[in-house]
Amino acid sequence: NPPAVATDVQGYLVYYGPTNSTSPSDYTGANADQGASPVDVGGNTAFKLTGLPLGTPLYVAVRAYDEVNLGTLTRLSEQLFPDEVPIRTISATFFPAWGTSAPRAVAVDAGIVYVAHGCDEGNRTCTGKGFSSVDISDPANPVLLDTCDNTYWGMFDVAILGNFAYIANGERVEIVDISDPTNLGCTSSSISISAETDVNWALSVATSPGKLYVAAERLGLRIYSLATPTAPTLVGSYATGFDGTTYADNGAGVVEVQGDYAYVTEREYMDSPNLKALNVATPGNITVGATVSDLPAWDIQIEGTRVYYSRNSAFVVYDGEPNAGILSAIASRDGQPRDVVVAGPYAYVTNNS
């Protein structure tokens, strides 16, 4: 809101940018839908800037003007974080061809959302399961571009590297050419992980330049070279925790990669530690760095030296260098969290409770 309204005020200029300053020229913001700083809002005494990068800090100032002069710049001393999140549900309501399947994993690349939609475990015979490209240039009106039909129910995770999407699909990792989102290369190729149903599934995938990482339950972490993107070759593996018991959910669950380290979760309550930061700089000689002994994680995200850890009954933040031995918990929040995404200073966590 602007400062107190004077009787001769004709309108207001809203300044925004990354610096809290007394000089109007320091407010260099340019991303708002309403235009670059300053934005002339006329006589409006309440105004909202939209389209700003989510979570990016900025400062705002207001300046009144009349027919002759500009008034004094009035600063808002508080640092602000844009938090506008347009919500649009993409489902079979929009795209009937998806049948009774539901989105299970999503990745975004160059304004296109790639959705892996499959069945719930309790209904493995759902219809319309597959992998789709969706144009979201107009978020209010998503447009389905193409779909690859899929005969398997899983579709657990998806990662994109260059012109290819890698989809963790239980017994296989599917590889789809996405160089043309309107004409997906649905039959590019796949990696056979295991035909041993419910034991050695590919559950999670991650990529780094030239590498594909697969968390595959009792098979542990598997690392593939992508020298030929459609024909990955196994170059390293690490057994994360399987101890020979009969528990079907034993082994690697989620993998995230940052730098030389792959962070891999262990799915079994009876095994510990439940997170290992593995040095994968040399895939044929993987070594253990930091570890976390906690309940098994539903999801993790790595940002800098911090691990955002979503597990049964709490969301926990760990901190520490990956080669330092043990990561230390620095914050936690009770709940029933599932997926986590970090953007700027915020962690966005889905909660089942």
Side-chain angles (χ1 to χ4, degrees), residues 161-181:
L161 184 64
N163 289 328
F164 295 90
Y166 298 87
I167 307 160
N169 195 14
E171 298 172 4
R172 303 182 299 276
V173 174
E174 310 283 358
I175 304 171
V176 176
D177 187 335
I178 60 170
S179 56
D180 180 359

Side-chain angles (χ1 to χ4, degrees), residues 305-328:
T305 62
R306 292 182 176 175
V307 179
Y308 297 85
Y309 194 92
S310 173
R311 51 94 160 160
N312 188 43
S313 77
F315 171 67
V316 187
V317 181
Y318 288 91
D319 197 11
E321 293 294 336
N323 60 355
I326 300 294
L327 294 165
S328 300

Side-chain angles (χ1 to χ4, degrees), residues 119-136:
C119 310
D120 294 329
E121 186 160 0
N123 176 26
R124 299 187 182 187
T125 59
C126 71
T127 61
K129 47 192 178 290
F131 178 75
S132 297
S133 52
V134 180
D135 185 344
I136 56 166

Side-chain angles (χ1 to χ4, degrees), residues 74-323:
T74 301
R75 294 180 294 160
L76 299 179
S77 59
E78 181 180 359
Q79 189 180 53
L80 304 177
F81 293 93
D83 61 358
E84 180 187 40
V85 183
I87 297 175
R88 176 64 59 183
T89 300
I90 300 177
S91 66
T93 302
F94 274 91
F95 311 131
W98 287 9
T100 58
S101 70
R104 304 203 62 184
V106 63
V108 181
D109 184 67
I112 305 296
V113 168
Y114 296 92
V115 182
H117 43 99
C119 310
D120 294 329
E121 186 160 0
N123 176 26
R124 299 187 182 187
T125 59
C126 71
T127 61
K129 47 192 178 290
F131 178 75
S132 297
S133 52
V134 180
D135 185 344
I136 56 166
S137 55
D138 179 0
N141 296 287
V143 177
L144 179 63
L145 300 178
D146 197 13
T147 294
C148 296
D149 294 332
N150 184 54
T151 57
Y152 194 68
W153 69 273
M155 310 299 278
F156 299 109
D157 195 17
V158 58
I160 290 173
L161 184 64
N163 289 328
F164 295 90
Y166 298 87
I167 307 160
N169 195 14
E171 298 172 4
R172 303 182 299 276
V173 174
E174 310 283 358
I175 304 171
V176 176
D177 187 335
I178 60 170
S179 56
D180 180 359
T182 66
N183 185 25
L184 297 173
C186 300
T187 59
S188 294
S189 61
S190 65
I191 307 170
S192 178
I193 299 299
S194 174
E196 191 175 358
T197 306
D198 294 5
V199 175
N200 293 332
W201 278 347
L203 296 181
S204 178
V205 286
T207 57
S208 68
K211 296 289 190 300
L212 170 69
Y213 305 81
V214 182
E217 293 195 295
R218 294 183 182 182
L219 294 176
L221 173 68
R222 298 172 72 81
I223 305 176
Y224 295 84
S225 168
L226 295 178
T228 303
T230 56
T233 55
L234 185 66
V235 293
S237 62
Y238 184 89
T240 56
F242 177 52
D243 57 9
T245 70
T246 59
Y247 289 95
D249 62 347
N250 237 321
V254 179
V255 58
E256 291 284 337
V257 176
Q258 181 168 279
D260 289 337
Y261 285 85
Y263 295 76
V264 185
T265 68
E266 162 62 43
R267 301 185 72 219
E268 175 52 50
Y269 279 79
M270 297 179 67
D271 292 334
S272 186
N274 293 108
L275 173 70
K276 293 179 180 178
L278 302 175
N279 189 322
V280 294
T282 305
N285 184 30
I286 298 172
T287 58
V288 179
T291 62
V292 167
S293 294
D294 201 332
L295 295 176
W298 295 112
D299 193 20
I300 58 172
Q301 183 161 348
I302 317 301
E303 293 289 334
T305 62
R306 292 182 176 175
V307 179
Y308 297 85
Y309 194 92
S310 173
R311 51 94 160 160
N312 188 43
S313 77
F315 171 67
V316 187
V317 181
Y318 288 91
D319 197 11
E321 293 294 336
N323 60 355

